[in-house]
Amino acid sequence: MKLYSYFRSSASYRVRIALNLKNLPYEYVPVHLLRDGGEQLKPEYRCVHPDGIVPALVEDGQPAIQQSLAIIEYLEETHPEPPLLPRSAVDRAHARSIALQVACEIHPLDNLRVLKYLKHTMRVEDDAKDAWYRYWIELGFSTLETRLAADPRTGALCVGDTPTIADLCLIPQIFNANRFKIDTTRYPTLQRIYDHAMQIDAFAQAAPGEQPDSE
Amino acid sequence: MKLYSYFRSSASYRVRIALNLKNLPYEYVPVHLLRDGGEQLKPEYRCVHPDGIVPALVEDGQPAIQQSLAIIEYLEETHPEPPLLPRSAVDRAHARSIALQVACEIHPLDNLRVLKYLKHTMRVEDDAKDAWYRYWIELGFSTLETRLAADPRTGALCVGDTPTIADLCLIPQIFNANRFKIDTTRYPTLQRIYDHAMQIDAFAQAAPGEQPDSE
């Protein structure tokens, strides 16, 4: 398997955790999102992923799989152990809904290409751009904190004590928020889950600083 | 089952199509996103969905299920017929990746609360707000058009000739774009799929104009 990845991409980070947890070896293919106007926008990469975003997973001769959550569900179906989803349908929905709350309500608003549009196309001031980043991350984290603090299914991690798709999305988003100087200790449940996850090798080794293209 | 929904919400629309395709009866609970500052932000609704967004699905006494794609995967697991995902893992990933391309790359940037933030908090001009809407929808649709036009798995619908999770996301997004006066005939494959889907009762009856809270 080849994973097209950028060390700082949260979506790539989710998939790296999944591959590590399932103990699947893979070739890391770096795609630099900033160098040279963005390698993800070059024709070479567009053949793999016409959308020009990372990550993409390619398995010998199969069509490339795009979108981090589709890749994770694919890995779950093709390599079920250890599972990244709970057993019961209701709990699986719960884990997926936490993952999607990060993937649909926070990350799309605060990723690199959106911040670039605000700055270069809409020409908003840096202060307004930073306020935008903070607004969506704080809105998302405060509702997630409320949910997870109240839900009896929350354990050492988002759903119980073993990693699920929910943690695969939450941990990279907290890492990203810290990089943007958001004080995540204001979300004690999220921070506790993050601290716990970072003790697990599969999470720690998927972090941006551990990747071959890290700067 | 109770579905908390707003007639114009694209995410609610996705779930309505799923419920119709699987022929599952449900109680429609309208949540008006604009009236009175937004009913989704009132404490009554926050008990169901702390995030203050629609849709949410509640089944007798179970915790509410949030996030449209988590609800659809839940319905798929608990009511497998007719399936909304293809058979093979690679094709399932393909269908999910199209769904996620809409749900993560287009819809989060162009939904009501984001447009409200641009207008009222960031105070950008209407022209800049409209350009923002167009930019993300045209970027998303043009890459989807390229993907679907080139992929041999594309049929009368996104993946073959029977509805999948991909169509559940694409059709409401095209409906929404048309409401915002985007000319979707520039995306002939997407338009053809839309026209075909709208001939199917489950899609037509899930449309905003057919809902009890339609205005």
Side-chain angles (χ1 to χ4, degrees), chain A residues 1-206:
Chain A
M1 280 190 282
K2 280 186 193 179
L3 180 69
Y4 292 79
S5 168
Y6 177 57
F7 72 112
R8 270 200 187 124
S9 148
S10 299
S12 303
Y13 190 173
R14 296 172 194 157
V15 177
R16 297 193 302 251
I17 302 169
L19 288 163
N20 290 352
L21 283 167
K22 291 186 178 287
N23 212 8
L24 297 169
Y26 64 97
E27 181 188 343
Y28 188 103
V29 186
V31 181
H32 200 294
L33 299 193
L34 296 169
R35 187 186 301 149
D36 211 7
E39 291 177 357
Q40 77 282 11
L41 304 175
K42 306 279 177 216
E44 299 84 317
Y45 186 65
R46 293 273 197 187
C47 297
V48 176
H49 195 328
D51 226 19
I53 53 180
V54 288
L57 185 82
V58 180
E59 210 166 9
D60 36 273
Q62 303 259 30
I65 300 175
Q66 310 169 13
Q67 291 292 331
S68 60
L69 291 179
I71 296 172
I72 292 164
E73 296 272 359
Y74 171 79
L75 294 172
E76 182 73 358
E77 292 183 352
T78 52
H79 301 274
E81 295 300 328
L84 300 177
L85 284 166
R87 282 196 163 198
S88 79
V90 173
D91 290 347
R92 292 163 75 85
H94 178 56
R96 284 191 178 111
S97 80
I98 296 166
L100 288 160
Q101 199 169 331
V102 174
C104 297
E105 312 296 340
I106 303 175
H107 180 254
L109 294 159
D110 279 349
N111 65 22
L112 185 62
R113 68 181 188 171
V114 171
L115 300 179
K116 272 169 79 175
Y117 184 96
L118 288 174
K119 188 180 173 87
H120 298 296
T121 305
M122 215 177 240
R123 297 182 175 280
V124 306
E125 301 290 328
D126 277 350
D127 280 359
K129 180 170 70 68
D130 294 347
W132 163 279
Y133 182 92
R134 273 199 313 279
Y135 179 81
W136 297 111
I137 208 143
E138 289 179 357
L139 177 66
F141 278 178
S142 62
T143 50
L144 266 178
E145 174 68 27
T146 307
R147 273 187 78 181
L148 292 181
D151 201 293
R153 291 169 287 189
T154 307
L157 294 166
C158 287
V159 188
D161 298 330
T162 47
T164 65
I165 196 168
D167 306 296
L168 271 50
C169 290
L170 179 64
I171 303 311
Q173 191 66 62
I174 293 180
F175 184 95
N176 182 273
N178 287 334
R179 194 164 77 82
F180 280 83
K181 312 252 182 279
I182 303 288
D183 175 14
T184 49
T185 61
R186 292 164 51 203
Y187 312 103
T189 311
L190 306 189
Q191 184 68 48
R192 175 177 64 67
I193 290 169
Y194 180 80
D195 292 341
H196 184 83
M198 286 313 242
Q199 304 292 318
I200 301 168
D201 283 350
F203 284 83
Q205 288 163 9

Side-chain angles (χ1 to χ4, degrees), chain B residues 86 91 94-99 102 144 147-149 151-171 174 189-194 196-197 203:
Chain B
D91 290 346
H94 178 56
R96 284 189 177 112
S97 79
I98 297 166
V102 173
L144 266 178
R147 271 187 80 182
L148 292 181
D151 200 293
R153 291 168 288 189
T154 307
L157 293 167
C158 287
V159 188
D161 298 330
T162 49
T164 65
I165 196 168
D167 307 296
L168 271 51
C169 290
L170 178 64
I171 302 311
I174 293 180
T189 311
L190 307 189
Q191 185 68 47
R192 175 177 64 67
I193 290 170
Y194 180 80
H196 184 84
F203 284 83

Side-chain angles (χ1 to χ4, degrees), chain B residues 14-52:
Chain B
R14 297 171 194 158
V15 177
R16 297 194 301 253
I17 302 169
L19 289 163
N20 291 351
L21 283 167
K22 290 184 178 288
N23 212 8
L24 297 169
Y26 65 97
E27 181 187 342
Y28 187 104
V29 186
V31 180
H32 201 295
L33 299 193
L34 295 169
R35 187 187 300 150
D36 212 7
E39 291 177 358
Q40 77 283 12
L41 304 175
K42 307 278 180 217
E44 300 85 317
Y45 185 66
R46 292 274 198 186
C47 297
V48 176
H49 195 329
D51 225 18

Side-chain angles (χ1 to χ4, degrees), chain B residues 114-189:
Chain B
V114 171
L115 300 178
K116 273 168 81 174
Y117 184 96
L118 288 173
K119 187 179 172 87
H120 298 297
T121 304
M122 215 175 241
R123 297 182 176 281
V124 306
E125 302 290 328
D126 277 351
D127 280 359
K129 181 169 71 64
D130 294 347
W132 163 279
Y133 182 93
R134 272 200 313 278
Y135 179 81
W136 297 111
I137 208 143
E138 290 179 357
L139 178 65
F141 279 178
S142 61
T143 48
L144 266 178
E145 174 67 27
T146 306
R147 271 187 80 182
L148 292 181
D151 200 293
R153 291 168 288 189
T154 307
L157 293 167
C158 287
V159 188
D161 298 330
T162 49
T164 65
I165 196 168
D167 307 296
L168 271 51
C169 290
L170 178 64
I171 302 311
Q173 192 65 61
I174 293 180
F175 184 95
N176 182 272
N178 287 334
R179 194 164 79 80
F180 280 83
K181 313 254 182 278
I182 302 289
D183 175 14
T184 49
T185 61
R186 290 165 50 203
Y187 312 104
T189 311

Side-chain angles (χ1 to χ4, degrees), chain B residues 45-62:
Chain B
Y45 185 66
R46 292 274 198 186
C47 297
V48 176
H49 195 329
D51 225 18
I53 51 179
V54 290
L57 185 82
V58 179
E59 210 165 10
D60 37 274
Q62 303 259 33

